[in-house]
Amino acid sequence: MTSAAPAAPLIEKHTIGYVPPEDRHGKVKDLFTLWFGGNIAPLPIVTGALGVQLFHLNLVWGIVAILVGHLLGGVLMALHSAQGPQMGIAQMIQSRAQFGSLGALLVVVIAGVMYIGFFASNIVLAGKSLHGVVDSVPVPDGGRYGRYNPQALIAYTIGILVQIPFMNTPLYVGPVSAHIDGADLSWLVGLAVTTPLYAWLASRDSAYRRRQRGTELATGH
């Protein structure tokens, strides 16, 4: 009797570092759920609607334009990503072969700026969408919480610090990760800590703002 193939591990032990052949698993179709989930956001929906609103295409030609744009724009990325299963290295690390260890930092910076822009655009569109549905949700200049939100910055900083012992990267392996055979649980820890922490900080800030507003109304200032 032939023994059944071992099941893929529930928790990945590798992050952006080299993945040995025996630890590689998954199929091309598994990428669909990853990218489909990442694009269920306001920004991709609004971007797709530009074909109708800005370029005055009908629905059929709008879909055709989106498909052609994805095919043409994804050719080079597809060729680059095809190296991943062969080399066991993520694209960010592969770029060191073309640009060098220090030169690849340029790619990292560009990717970081793109990610920040993507998340910021989604947050702005989400806020405006909520304002369109519920008019009581304000969107004044600078955003609902002003030009910067100290509560979010505090939660973000603490979230980064608590992840350090659980990290497993080529540059650093945390003590907890090393103790549990290299599993990287940093993102789970960060999510578990920052979510309730920010909710608590935001609730205290909202209560303070309500008291401050009540004082202003009472004094007429």
Side-chain angles (χ1 to χ4, degrees), residues 15-20 24 80-97 170:
T15 53
I16 63 173
Y18 172 74
V19 180
R24 303 174 195 175
H80 196 193
S81 66
Q83 301 177 33
Q86 305 299 324
M87 303 175 62
I89 302 175
Q91 289 185 7
M92 285 290 185
I93 307 301
Q94 290 179 37
S95 63
R96 295 179 180 177

Side-chain angles (χ1 to χ4, degrees), residues 26-201:
K27 299 179 176 62
V28 175
K29 65 180 182 179
D30 296 334
L31 296 174
F32 172 79
T33 52
L34 171 66
W35 290 109
F36 182 79
N39 283 280
I40 299 299
L43 182 61
I45 296 173
V46 172
T47 304
L50 290 178
V52 177
Q53 296 293 326
L54 185 62
F55 299 104
H56 308 291
L57 300 176
N58 58 34
L59 178 62
V60 175
W61 282 109
I63 294 175
V64 171
I66 292 173
L67 292 177
V68 172
H70 276 74
L71 290 174
L72 294 178
V75 169
L76 296 178
M77 293 300 296
L79 292 174
H80 196 193
S81 66
Q83 301 177 33
Q86 305 299 324
M87 303 175 62
I89 302 175
Q91 289 185 7
M92 285 290 185
I93 307 301
Q94 290 179 37
S95 63
R96 295 179 180 177
Q98 290 82 22
F99 298 94
S101 298
L102 296 179
L105 294 176
L106 175 64
V107 180
V108 174
V109 170
I110 294 174
V113 172
M114 291 174 58
Y115 291 147
I116 293 174
F118 179 79
F119 289 126
S121 302
N122 274 300
I123 291 171
V124 171
L125 287 172
K128 291 185 175 181
S129 300
L130 287 173
H131 177 70
V133 176
V134 183
D135 191 62
S136 60
V137 176
V139 283
D141 181 37
R144 181 177 182 180
Y145 299 104
R147 296 193 179 278
Y148 64 92
N149 185 351
Q151 288 74 31
L153 294 175
I154 293 173
Y156 186 78
T157 302
I158 295 177
I160 293 177
L161 295 176
V162 298
Q163 291 183 63
I164 293 176
F166 300 87
M167 290 180 176
N168 183 1
T169 70
L171 298 178
Y172 173 77
V173 178
V176 177
S177 178
H179 184 69
I180 55 178
D181 198 22
D184 189 337
L185 302 180
S186 58
W187 66 278
L188 285 174
V189 175
L191 183 64
V193 172
T194 56
T195 300
L197 176 62
Y198 177 71
W200 178 72
L201 291 172

